[in-house]
Amino acid sequence: MFFDTGYDLLRVAVMTACSYAALITAVRISGKRTLAKMNAFDLVVTVALGSTLATILLNATVSLAEGAIALVLLVALQFVSAWAAVRSRRFRRLVKAEPTLLLSGGHMLADAMARQRVTESEVLQAIRSQGVGSVEEVAAVVLETDGKFSVITRSQAGSGSSLSDVGRVAGTRAEG
C-alpha cells in the first residue's frame, strides 16, 4: 500500500535528483527572462515543464535521458521564442499579448473592458488598491500582459510616454 519495492523508491529518488539538476541547469543557461513575470505563453511552458517533470519522476517507462531531453527542449523552445519575440514584431504579436488601456482620463473604456472580460468593479478595485479615492484623479488604468492592473494618476502621468505601447479601443495607440 505504501510502496511496491525498494527499487521503485530508489528510482524515484534518483530520477528526482537528476531531473531537478537538469531542469535547474537548463533554466540557468536560458537566462533570467525564463523566470520573469509570466504571460500566457510563459504559463503554458511552465505547465508543460511541470507535467514533463512529473512524468519523468513517476513513470517508470520514461528514462532519465528522454526526460532530460524533453526538459531541455522545452526550455530551449522558450528561449528561442523569447529571442524571436525580441527581434520580430510579427512573432511577438503572435505569442505575446499587448497591454490594454481600460480607463483613460477618468473615463472607463467599455469596449476594451468587454474585450478583456474586465468588470468596472475590478478596475475600481485596482484604483482603490493604489490608495486613490477618485476615478477622476486617474489618468489611466492598463491591463498588463501578465494580467495585473497598472494605475497611473494624473499627478504621475507626466507626458504619458509609458503608454506608447498600450493598445486602445479600435486598435489605435494611447496618447499622452
Side-chain angles (χ1 to χ4, degrees):
M1 180 165 125
F2 294 106
F3 63 91
D4 290 328
T5 67
Y7 170 79
D8 291 337
L9 294 177
L10 179 61
R11 181 195 171 284
V12 169
V14 170
M15 292 294 279
T16 300
C18 293
S19 298
Y20 180 77
L23 181 58
I24 294 298
T25 301
V27 168
R28 291 287 293 145
I29 290 170
S30 69
K32 293 176 186 172
R33 291 287 298 162
T34 303
L35 302 174
K37 287 184 180 178
M38 288 194 289
N39 57 42
F41 182 72
D42 299 327
L43 177 63
V44 169
V45 172
T46 302
V47 170
L49 283 170
S51 176
T52 301
L53 185 60
T55 300
I56 296 165
L57 302 181
L58 300 175
N59 188 337
T61 63
V62 177
S63 72
L64 179 60
E66 291 168 334
I69 287 172
L71 289 173
V72 169
L73 261 172
L74 284 170
V75 172
L77 288 170
Q78 168 68 1
F79 178 82
V80 168
S81 296
W83 180 87
V86 167
R87 286 159 180 76
S88 167
R89 184 177 186 172
R90 179 176 284 160
F91 188 80
R92 181 172 48 251
R93 290 173 64 197
L94 177 70
V95 298
K96 299 203 181 221
E98 74 174 11
T100 303
L101 188 64
L102 302 175
L103 182 142
S104 180
H107 301 287
M108 302 276 183
L109 302 176
D111 290 347
M113 290 169 57
R115 262 196 331 275
Q116 298 302 322
R117 298 175 311 281
V118 172
T119 66
E120 185 174 321
S121 294
E122 290 172 306
V123 174
L124 292 173
Q125 178 185 4
I127 293 169
R128 288 190 305 270
S129 72
Q130 295 300 308
V132 179
S134 170
V135 172
E136 292 75 26
E137 294 177 45
V138 178
V141 174
V142 177
L143 179 62
E144 301 293 353
T145 61
D146 63 359
K148 293 184 179 169
F149 294 97
S150 292
V151 177
I152 302 169
T153 63
R154 290 183 189 273
S155 64
Q156 296 170 323
S159 70
S161 61
S162 70
L163 299 172
S164 65
D165 70 335
V166 177
R168 193 175 194 149
V169 177
T172 61
R173 294 285 182 204
E175 298 162 10

Coordinates of all heavy atoms in Angstrom, one line a residue, residues 54-146:
A54 N 6.9 15.7 -13.8 CA 6.1 14.7 -13.1 C 6.1 13.4 -13.8 O 6.3 12.3 -13.2 CB 4.7 15.2 -12.9
T55 N 6.1 13.4 -15.1 CA 6.1 12.2 -15.9 C 7.5 11.5 -15.7 O 7.5 10.3 -15.5 CB 5.8 12.5 -17.4 OG1 4.5 13.1 -17.5 CG2 5.9 11.2 -18.2
I56 N 8.5 12.3 -15.8 CA 9.9 11.7 -15.6 C 10.0 11.0 -14.2 O 10.5 9.9 -14.1 CB 11.0 12.8 -15.7 CG1 11.0 13.4 -17.1 CG2 12.3 12.3 -15.4 CD1 11.7 14.7 -17.2
L57 N 9.5 11.7 -13.2 CA 9.7 11.2 -11.9 C 8.8 9.9 -11.6 O 9.3 9.0 -10.8 CB 9.3 12.3 -10.8 CG 10.1 13.6 -10.9 CD1 9.7 14.5 -9.8 CD2 11.6 13.3 -10.8
L58 N 7.6 9.9 -12.1 CA 6.7 8.9 -11.7 C 6.4 7.8 -12.7 O 5.8 6.8 -12.4 CB 5.4 9.5 -11.2 CG 5.6 10.5 -10.1 CD1 4.2 11.2 -9.8 CD2 6.1 9.8 -8.8
N59 N 6.8 8.0 -14.0 CA 6.5 7.0 -15.0 C 7.8 6.2 -15.3 O 8.7 6.7 -15.8 CB 6.0 7.7 -16.3 CG 5.5 6.7 -17.3 OD1 5.9 5.5 -17.3 ND2 4.7 7.2 -18.2
A60 N 7.8 4.9 -14.9 CA 9.0 4.1 -15.0 C 9.3 3.8 -16.4 O 10.5 3.4 -16.7 CB 8.7 2.8 -14.2
T61 N 8.4 4.0 -17.4 CA 8.8 3.8 -18.8 C 9.5 4.9 -19.4 O 10.0 4.8 -20.6 CB 7.5 3.5 -19.6 OG1 6.7 4.6 -19.6 CG2 6.7 2.3 -19.0
V62 N 9.7 6.0 -18.7 CA 10.4 7.2 -19.3 C 11.8 7.2 -18.6 O 11.9 7.3 -17.4 CB 9.7 8.5 -19.0 CG1 10.5 9.7 -19.5 CG2 8.3 8.5 -19.6
S63 N 12.8 7.1 -19.5 CA 14.2 7.1 -19.0 C 14.6 8.5 -18.6 O 14.0 9.5 -19.1 CB 15.1 6.6 -20.0 OG 15.3 7.5 -21.1
L64 N 15.7 8.6 -17.8 CA 16.2 9.9 -17.5 C 16.7 10.7 -18.7 O 16.4 11.9 -18.8 CB 17.4 9.7 -16.5 CG 18.1 11.0 -16.0 CD1 17.1 11.9 -15.3 CD2 19.3 10.7 -15.1
A65 N 17.3 10.0 -19.6 CA 17.8 10.7 -20.8 C 16.6 11.3 -21.6 O 16.7 12.4 -22.1 CB 18.6 9.8 -21.7
E66 N 15.5 10.5 -21.8 CA 14.4 11.0 -22.5 C 13.8 12.2 -21.8 O 13.4 13.2 -22.4 CB 13.3 9.9 -22.6 CG 13.7 8.8 -23.5 CD 12.8 7.6 -23.3 OE1 12.1 7.4 -22.3 OE2 12.7 6.8 -24.3
G67 N 13.7 12.1 -20.5 CA 13.1 13.2 -19.7 C 14.0 14.5 -19.8 O 13.4 15.6 -19.9
A68 N 15.3 14.3 -19.6 CA 16.2 15.4 -19.7 C 16.1 16.1 -21.0 O 16.1 17.3 -21.1 CB 17.6 15.0 -19.4
I69 N 16.0 15.3 -22.1 CA 15.9 15.9 -23.4 C 14.6 16.7 -23.6 O 14.6 17.8 -24.1 CB 16.0 14.8 -24.5 CG1 17.4 14.3 -24.6 CG2 15.5 15.3 -25.9 CD1 17.6 13.1 -25.5
A70 N 13.5 16.2 -23.0 CA 12.2 16.9 -23.1 C 12.3 18.2 -22.3 O 11.9 19.2 -22.8 CB 11.1 16.0 -22.5
L71 N 12.9 18.2 -21.1 CA 13.0 19.4 -20.3 C 13.9 20.4 -21.0 O 13.5 21.6 -21.1 CB 13.6 19.1 -18.9 CG 12.7 18.3 -18.0 CD1 13.5 17.9 -16.7 CD2 11.5 19.1 -17.6
V72 N 15.0 20.0 -21.5 CA 16.0 20.9 -22.2 C 15.3 21.5 -23.5 O 15.4 22.7 -23.8 CB 17.3 20.2 -22.5 CG1 18.1 21.0 -23.5 CG2 18.1 19.9 -21.2
L73 N 14.6 20.6 -24.2 CA 13.9 21.1 -25.4 C 12.8 22.2 -25.1 O 12.7 23.2 -25.8 CB 13.2 20.0 -26.1 CG 14.0 19.4 -27.3 CD1 13.3 18.1 -27.8 CD2 14.1 20.4 -28.4
L74 N 12.0 22.0 -24.0 CA 11.0 22.9 -23.6 C 11.7 24.3 -23.3 O 11.2 25.3 -23.7 CB 10.2 22.4 -22.5 CG 9.1 21.4 -22.8 CD1 8.5 20.8 -21.6 CD2 8.0 22.0 -23.7
V75 N 12.7 24.2 -22.5 CA 13.4 25.5 -22.1 C 14.1 26.1 -23.3 O 14.0 27.3 -23.5 CB 14.5 25.2 -21.0 CG1 15.3 26.4 -20.7 CG2 13.8 24.8 -19.7
A76 N 14.6 25.3 -24.2 CA 15.3 25.8 -25.4 C 14.2 26.5 -26.3 O 14.4 27.6 -26.9 CB 16.0 24.7 -26.2
L77 N 13.0 25.9 -26.4 CA 12.0 26.5 -27.2 C 11.5 27.8 -26.6 O 11.2 28.7 -27.3 CB 10.8 25.5 -27.4 CG 11.0 24.3 -28.3 CD1 9.9 23.3 -28.1 CD2 11.2 24.7 -29.7
Q78 N 11.4 27.8 -25.3 CA 11.1 29.1 -24.6 C 12.1 30.2 -24.9 O 11.8 31.3 -25.2 CB 10.9 28.8 -23.1 CG 10.9 30.1 -22.3 CD 9.6 30.9 -22.4 OE1 8.7 30.5 -23.2 NE2 9.5 32.0 -21.8
F79 N 13.4 29.8 -24.8 CA 14.5 30.7 -25.1 C 14.4 31.2 -26.6 O 14.5 32.4 -26.8 CB 15.8 30.0 -24.9 CG 17.0 30.9 -25.2 CD1 17.5 31.8 -24.3 CD2 17.7 30.8 -26.4 CE1 18.6 32.6 -24.5 CE2 18.8 31.6 -26.7 CZ 19.2 32.5 -25.8
V80 N 14.2 30.3 -27.5 CA 14.2 30.7 -28.9 C 12.9 31.6 -29.2 O 13.0 32.6 -29.9 CB 14.1 29.4 -29.8 CG1 13.7 29.8 -31.3 CG2 15.5 28.7 -29.8
S81 N 11.8 31.3 -28.5 CA 10.6 32.1 -28.7 C 10.8 33.5 -28.2 O 10.4 34.5 -28.8 CB 9.4 31.4 -28.0 OG 9.1 30.2 -28.6
A82 N 11.5 33.6 -27.0 CA 11.7 34.9 -26.4 C 12.7 35.7 -27.3 O 12.6 36.9 -27.5 CB 12.3 34.8 -25.0
W83 N 13.7 35.0 -27.8 CA 14.7 35.6 -28.7 C 14.0 36.2 -29.9 O 14.2 37.3 -30.4 CB 15.8 34.6 -29.1 CG 16.9 35.1 -30.0 CD1 18.0 35.8 -29.6 CD2 16.9 35.0 -31.4 NE1 18.7 36.1 -30.7 CE2 18.1 35.6 -31.8 CE3 16.0 34.5 -32.3 CZ2 18.4 35.7 -33.2 CZ3 16.3 34.6 -33.7 CH2 17.5 35.2 -34.1
A84 N 13.1 35.3 -30.5 CA 12.4 35.7 -31.8 C 11.5 36.9 -31.5 O 11.3 37.8 -32.3 CB 11.7 34.5 -32.3
A85 N 10.8 36.9 -30.3 CA 9.9 37.9 -30.0 C 10.6 39.3 -29.8 O 10.0 40.3 -30.1 CB 9.1 37.6 -28.7
V86 N 11.8 39.3 -29.3 CA 12.6 40.5 -29.2 C 12.9 41.1 -30.6 O 13.0 42.3 -30.8 CB 13.8 40.3 -28.3 CG1 14.8 41.4 -28.4 CG2 13.4 40.0 -26.9
R87 N 13.2 40.2 -31.5 CA 13.7 40.6 -32.8 C 12.6 40.7 -33.9 O 12.8 41.3 -34.9 CB 14.7 39.6 -33.3 CG 16.0 39.8 -32.5 CD 16.9 38.7 -32.5 NE 18.2 38.9 -31.7 CZ 18.2 38.9 -30.4 NH1 17.2 38.7 -29.7 NH2 19.4 39.1 -29.8
S88 N 11.4 40.2 -33.7 CA 10.4 40.2 -34.7 C 9.1 40.7 -34.1 O 8.5 40.0 -33.3 CB 10.2 38.8 -35.3 OG 9.0 38.8 -36.1
R89 N 8.6 41.8 -34.6 CA 7.3 42.3 -34.1 C 6.2 41.4 -34.4 O 5.3 41.1 -33.6 CB 7.0 43.7 -34.7 CG 5.8 44.3 -34.2 CD 5.6 45.7 -34.7 NE 4.5 46.3 -34.1 CZ 4.1 47.5 -34.2 NH1 4.8 48.3 -34.9 NH2 3.1 48.0 -33.6
R90 N 6.2 40.8 -35.6 CA 5.1 39.9 -36.0 C 5.1 38.6 -35.1 O 4.0 38.2 -34.7 CB 5.4 39.4 -37.5 CG 4.3 38.4 -38.0 CD 4.5 38.1 -39.4 NE 4.0 39.2 -40.2 CZ 4.3 39.5 -41.4 NH1 5.1 38.7 -42.1 NH2 3.8 40.5 -42.0
F91 N 6.3 38.1 -34.8 CA 6.3 36.9 -33.9 C 5.9 37.3 -32.5 O 5.1 36.6 -31.8 CB 7.7 36.3 -33.9 CG 7.8 35.0 -33.1 CD1 7.4 33.8 -33.7 CD2 8.2 35.0 -31.8 CE1 7.4 32.6 -33.0 CE2 8.3 33.8 -31.1 CZ 7.9 32.6 -31.7
R92 N 6.3 38.5 -32.0 CA 5.9 39.0 -30.7 C 4.4 39.1 -30.6 O 3.8 38.7 -29.6 CB 6.6 40.3 -30.4 CG 6.3 40.9 -29.1 CD 7.1 42.1 -28.7 NE 7.1 43.1 -29.8 CZ 8.2 43.4 -30.5 NH1 9.4 42.8 -30.3 NH2 8.2 44.4 -31.4
R93 N 3.8 39.6 -31.6 CA 2.3 39.7 -31.6 C 1.6 38.4 -31.6 O 0.5 38.2 -31.1 CB 1.9 40.6 -32.8 CG 2.3 42.1 -32.5 CD 2.0 43.0 -33.7 NE 0.6 43.1 -33.9 CZ 0.1 43.5 -35.1 NH1 0.9 43.9 -36.0 NH2 -1.2 43.6 -35.2
L94 N 2.3 37.4 -32.2 CA 1.7 36.0 -32.3 C 1.8 35.4 -30.9 O 0.8 34.7 -30.5 CB 2.5 35.2 -33.3 CG 2.1 33.7 -33.5 CD1 0.8 33.7 -34.1 CD2 3.2 33.0 -34.3
V95 N 2.8 35.5 -30.2 CA 3.0 34.8 -28.9 C 2.7 35.6 -27.6 O 2.5 35.0 -26.6 CB 4.4 34.1 -28.8 CG1 4.6 33.1 -29.9 CG2 5.5 35.1 -28.7
K96 N 2.7 36.9 -27.7 CA 2.5 37.7 -26.5 C 1.4 38.7 -26.7 O 1.2 39.2 -27.8 CB 3.8 38.4 -26.2 CG 5.0 37.5 -25.9 CD 6.0 38.1 -25.1 CE 7.1 37.1 -25.0 NZ 7.7 37.1 -23.7
A97 N 0.6 38.9 -25.6 CA -0.4 39.9 -25.6 C 0.2 41.2 -25.5 O 1.3 41.4 -25.1 CB -1.4 39.6 -24.5
E98 N -0.6 42.3 -25.8 CA -0.1 43.6 -25.6 C -1.0 44.2 -24.5 O -2.1 43.8 -24.2 CB -0.2 44.5 -26.8 CG -1.5 44.9 -27.3 CD -1.4 45.9 -28.5 OE1 -0.4 46.0 -29.1 OE2 -2.5 46.4 -28.8
P99 N -0.5 45.2 -23.7 CA -1.2 45.8 -22.7 C -2.5 46.5 -23.3 O -2.4 47.0 -24.4 CB -0.3 46.7 -22.0 CG 0.9 46.9 -22.9 CD 0.9 45.7 -23.9
T100 N -3.5 46.6 -22.5 CA -4.8 47.2 -22.9 C -5.2 48.4 -22.0 O -5.2 48.2 -20.8 CB -5.9 46.2 -23.0 OG1 -5.5 45.1 -23.8 CG2 -7.2 46.8 -23.5
L101 N -5.5 49.5 -22.6 CA -6.0 50.7 -21.8 C -7.4 50.4 -21.5 O -8.3 50.2 -22.4 CB -5.8 51.9 -22.7 CG -6.1 53.2 -22.0 CD1 -5.1 53.5 -20.9 CD2 -6.0 54.4 -23.0
L102 N -7.7 50.5 -20.2 CA -9.1 50.2 -19.7 C -9.8 51.5 -19.2 O -11.0 51.5 -19.2 CB -9.1 49.2 -18.6 CG -8.5 47.8 -18.9 CD1 -8.5 47.0 -17.6 CD2 -9.3 47.1 -20.0
L103 N -9.0 52.5 -18.8 CA -9.6 53.7 -18.4 C -8.6 54.8 -18.8 O -7.4 54.7 -18.7 CB -9.6 53.7 -16.8 CG -10.2 55.0 -16.2 CD1 -11.1 54.6 -15.0 CD2 -9.1 55.9 -15.7
S104 N -9.2 55.9 -19.3 CA -8.4 57.0 -19.8 C -9.0 58.3 -19.4 O -10.2 58.5 -19.6 CB -8.2 56.9 -21.4 OG -7.4 58.0 -21.8
G105 N -8.2 59.1 -18.8 CA -8.7 60.4 -18.4 C -9.9 60.4 -17.5 O -10.8 61.2 -17.6
G106 N -10.0 59.4 -16.6 CA -11.1 59.3 -15.7 C -12.3 58.6 -16.3 O -13.3 58.5 -15.6
H107 N -12.3 58.1 -17.5 CA -13.4 57.5 -18.1 C -13.1 56.1 -18.5 O -12.1 55.7 -19.1 CB -13.8 58.3 -19.4 CG -14.1 59.7 -19.2 ND1 -15.3 60.1 -18.6 CD2 -13.4 60.8 -19.5 CE1 -15.3 61.4 -18.5 NE2 -14.2 61.9 -19.0
M108 N -14.0 55.2 -18.1 CA -13.9 53.7 -18.4 C -14.1 53.6 -19.9 O -14.9 54.2 -20.5 CB -15.0 52.9 -17.7 CG -15.0 53.1 -16.2 SD -13.9 51.9 -15.4 CE -14.2 52.3 -13.7
L109 N -13.3 52.7 -20.5 CA -13.4 52.3 -21.9 C -14.1 51.0 -22.0 O -13.5 49.9 -22.0 CB -12.0 52.3 -22.5 CG -11.2 53.6 -22.4 CD1 -9.8 53.4 -22.9 CD2 -11.9 54.7 -23.0
A110 N -15.4 51.1 -22.1 CA -16.3 49.9 -22.1 C -16.0 48.8 -23.1 O -16.0 47.6 -22.8 CB -17.8 50.3 -22.2
D111 N -15.6 49.3 -24.3 CA -15.3 48.3 -25.4 C -14.1 47.5 -25.0 O -14.0 46.3 -25.2 CB -15.1 49.0 -26.7 CG -16.4 49.5 -27.3 OD1 -17.5 49.1 -26.8 OD2 -16.3 50.3 -28.3
A112 N -13.0 48.2 -24.6 CA -11.8 47.5 -24.2 C -12.0 46.6 -23.0 O -11.5 45.5 -22.9 CB -10.7 48.5 -23.9
M113 N -12.8 47.0 -22.0 CA -13.1 46.2 -20.9 C -13.9 45.0 -21.3 O -13.6 43.9 -20.8 CB -13.9 47.1 -19.8 CG -13.0 48.1 -19.2 SD -14.0 49.3 -18.2 CE -14.8 48.3 -17.0
A114 N -14.8 45.1 -22.2 CA -15.6 43.9 -22.6 C -14.7 43.0 -23.3 O -14.8 41.7 -23.1 CB -16.8 44.4 -23.5
R115 N -13.8 43.5 -24.2 CA -12.9 42.6 -24.9 C -12.0 41.8 -24.0 O -11.7 40.6 -24.3 CB -12.1 43.4 -25.9 CG -12.6 43.4 -27.3 CD -11.5 43.9 -28.3 NE -10.5 44.8 -27.9 CZ -10.7 46.1 -27.8 NH1 -11.8 46.7 -28.1 NH2 -9.7 46.9 -27.3
Q116 N -11.6 42.4 -22.9 CA -10.7 41.8 -22.0 C -11.4 41.1 -20.9 O -10.8 40.5 -20.0 CB -9.7 42.8 -21.4 CG -8.8 43.5 -22.5 CD -8.0 42.5 -23.2 OE1 -7.5 41.5 -22.7 NE2 -7.9 42.7 -24.5
R117 N -12.7 41.1 -20.9 CA -13.6 40.5 -19.8 C -13.2 41.0 -18.4 O -13.0 40.3 -17.5 CB -13.5 39.0 -19.9 CG -14.0 38.4 -21.2 CD -13.8 36.9 -21.4 NE -12.5 36.4 -21.1 CZ -11.4 36.4 -21.8 NH1 -11.5 37.0 -23.0 NH2 -10.2 35.9 -21.5
V118 N -13.2 42.3 -18.4 CA -12.9 43.0 -17.1 C -14.1 43.8 -16.7 O -14.7 44.5 -17.6 CB -11.6 43.9 -17.3 CG1 -11.4 44.8 -16.0 CG2 -10.4 43.1 -17.6
T119 N -14.5 43.7 -15.5 CA -15.6 44.5 -15.0 C -15.2 45.8 -14.4 O -14.1 46.0 -14.1 CB -16.4 43.7 -13.9 OG1 -15.6 43.6 -12.7 CG2 -16.8 42.3 -14.4
E120 N -16.2 46.7 -14.3 CA -15.9 48.0 -13.8 C -15.5 47.9 -12.3 O -14.6 48.6 -11.9 CB -17.2 48.9 -13.8 CG -17.0 50.3 -13.4 CD -18.3 51.2 -13.6 OE1 -18.9 51.0 -14.6 OE2 -18.6 52.0 -12.7
S121 N -16.1 46.9 -11.6 CA -15.7 46.7 -10.2 C -14.2 46.3 -10.1 O -13.5 46.7 -9.1 CB -16.5 45.6 -9.6 OG -17.8 46.0 -9.5
E122 N -13.7 45.5 -11.0 CA -12.3 45.2 -11.0 C -11.4 46.4 -11.2 O -10.3 46.5 -10.6 CB -12.0 44.1 -12.0 CG -12.6 42.7 -11.7 CD -12.5 41.8 -12.8 OE1 -12.9 42.1 -14.0 OE2 -12.0 40.6 -12.6
V123 N -11.8 47.3 -12.1 CA -11.0 48.5 -12.3 C -11.0 49.4 -11.1 O -10.0 49.9 -10.7 CB -11.5 49.2 -13.6 CG1 -10.8 50.6 -13.8 CG2 -11.3 48.4 -14.8
L124 N -12.2 49.5 -10.5 CA -12.3 50.3 -9.3 C -11.5 49.7 -8.2 O -10.8 50.4 -7.4 CB -13.8 50.4 -8.9 CG -14.7 51.2 -9.8 CD1 -16.1 51.1 -9.4 CD2 -14.2 52.7 -9.9
Q125 N -11.5 48.4 -8.0 CA -10.6 47.7 -7.0 C -9.2 48.0 -7.2 O -8.4 48.3 -6.3 CB -10.9 46.2 -7.0 CG -10.0 45.5 -6.0 CD -10.2 44.0 -6.2 OE1 -10.9 43.5 -7.0 NE2 -9.5 43.3 -5.3
A126 N -8.7 48.0 -8.5 CA -7.3 48.3 -8.8 C -7.0 49.7 -8.4 O -5.9 50.0 -7.8 CB -7.0 48.1 -10.3
I127 N -7.9 50.7 -8.6 CA -7.7 52.1 -8.3 C -7.6 52.2 -6.8 O -6.7 52.9 -6.2 CB -8.8 52.9 -8.9 CG1 -8.7 52.9 -10.4 CG2 -8.8 54.4 -8.3 CD1 -9.9 53.5 -11.1
R128 N -8.6 51.6 -6.1 CA -8.5 51.7 -4.6 C -7.3 51.1 -4.0 O -6.7 51.6 -3.0 CB -9.8 50.9 -4.0 CG -11.1 51.7 -4.2 CD -12.2 51.0 -3.4 NE -12.4 49.6 -3.7 CZ -13.2 49.1 -4.6 NH1 -13.9 49.9 -5.4 NH2 -13.3 47.8 -4.8
S129 N -6.8 50.0 -4.6 CA -5.6 49.3 -4.0 C -4.4 50.2 -4.2 O -3.4 49.9 -3.5 CB -5.4 47.9 -4.7 OG -5.0 48.1 -6.1
Q130 N -4.4 51.2 -5.0 CA -3.3 52.1 -5.1 C -3.5 53.3 -4.2 O -2.7 54.3 -4.3 CB -3.2 52.6 -6.6 CG -2.8 51.4 -7.5 CD -1.5 50.8 -7.1 OE1 -0.5 51.5 -7.0 NE2 -1.4 49.5 -7.0
G131 N -4.6 53.3 -3.4 CA -4.8 54.4 -2.5 C -5.4 55.6 -3.1 O -5.3 56.7 -2.6
V132 N -6.0 55.5 -4.3 CA -6.6 56.6 -5.0 C -8.1 56.6 -4.7 O -8.8 55.5 -4.8 CB -6.4 56.5 -6.5 CG1 -7.0 57.7 -7.2 CG2 -4.9 56.5 -6.8
G133 N -8.7 57.7 -4.3 CA -10.0 57.8 -3.8 C -11.0 58.2 -4.9 O -12.2 58.1 -4.7
S134 N -10.6 58.7 -6.0 CA -11.5 59.2 -7.0 C -11.0 58.8 -8.4 O -9.8 58.9 -8.8 CB -11.5 60.7 -7.0 OG -12.2 61.3 -8.1
V135 N -12.0 58.3 -9.2 CA -11.7 57.9 -10.6 C -11.2 59.1 -11.4 O -10.3 58.9 -12.3 CB -12.9 57.2 -11.3 CG1 -12.7 57.0 -12.7 CG2 -13.3 55.9 -10.6
E136 N -11.7 60.2 -11.1 CA -11.3 61.4 -11.8 C -9.8 61.8 -11.6 O -9.2 62.5 -12.4 CB -12.2 62.6 -11.4 CG -13.6 62.5 -11.9 CD -14.4 61.5 -11.0 OE1 -14.1 61.3 -9.9 OE2 -15.4 61.0 -11.6
E137 N -9.2 61.3 -10.6 CA -7.8 61.5 -10.3 C -6.9 60.6 -11.1 O -5.7 60.8 -11.2 CB -7.4 61.2 -8.8 CG -8.1 62.1 -7.8 CD -7.7 61.7 -6.4 OE1 -6.6 61.4 -6.1 OE2 -8.7 61.7 -5.6
V138 N -7.5 59.6 -11.9 CA -6.7 58.6 -12.6 C -6.6 59.0 -14.0 O -7.6 59.3 -14.7 CB -7.4 57.2 -12.5 CG1 -6.6 56.2 -13.2 CG2 -7.5 56.8 -11.0
A139 N -5.3 59.0 -14.5 CA -5.1 59.3 -15.9 C -5.3 58.1 -16.8 O -5.8 58.1 -17.9 CB -3.7 59.8 -16.1
A140 N -4.9 56.9 -16.2 CA -5.0 55.6 -17.0 C -5.0 54.4 -16.1 O -4.3 54.4 -15.0 CB -3.9 55.5 -18.0
V141 N -5.7 53.4 -16.5 CA -5.6 52.1 -15.9 C -5.3 51.1 -17.1 O -6.0 51.2 -18.1 CB -6.9 51.6 -15.2 CG1 -6.8 50.2 -14.7 CG2 -7.2 52.5 -14.0
V142 N -4.3 50.4 -16.9 CA -3.8 49.5 -18.0 C -3.9 48.0 -17.5 O -3.4 47.7 -16.4 CB -2.4 49.8 -18.4 CG1 -1.9 48.9 -19.5 CG2 -2.3 51.3 -18.9
L143 N -4.4 47.1 -18.3 CA -4.4 45.7 -18.0 C -3.1 45.2 -18.7 O -2.9 45.3 -19.9 CB -5.6 45.0 -18.6 CG -5.6 43.5 -18.4 CD1 -5.6 43.1 -16.9 CD2 -6.7 42.8 -19.1
E144 N -2.1 44.8 -17.9 CA -0.8 44.5 -18.4 C -0.8 43.0 -19.0 O -1.8 42.3 -18.8 CB 0.3 44.6 -17.3 CG 0.4 46.0 -16.7 CD 1.0 47.0 -17.7 OE1 1.4 46.7 -18.8 OE2 1.0 48.2 -17.3
T145 N 0.3 42.7 -19.7 CA 0.3 41.4 -20.3 C 0.3 40.2 -19.3 O 0.0 39.1 -19.7 CB 1.5 41.3 -21.2 OG1 2.7 41.4 -20.4 CG2 1.5 42.3 -22.3
D146 N 0.7 40.5 -18.1 CA 0.7 39.4 -17.1 C -0.6 39.4 -16.3 O -0.7 38.6 -15.3 CB 1.9 39.5 -16.1 CG 1.9 40.8 -15.3 OD1 1.0 41.6 -15.5 OD2 2.8 41.0 -14.5

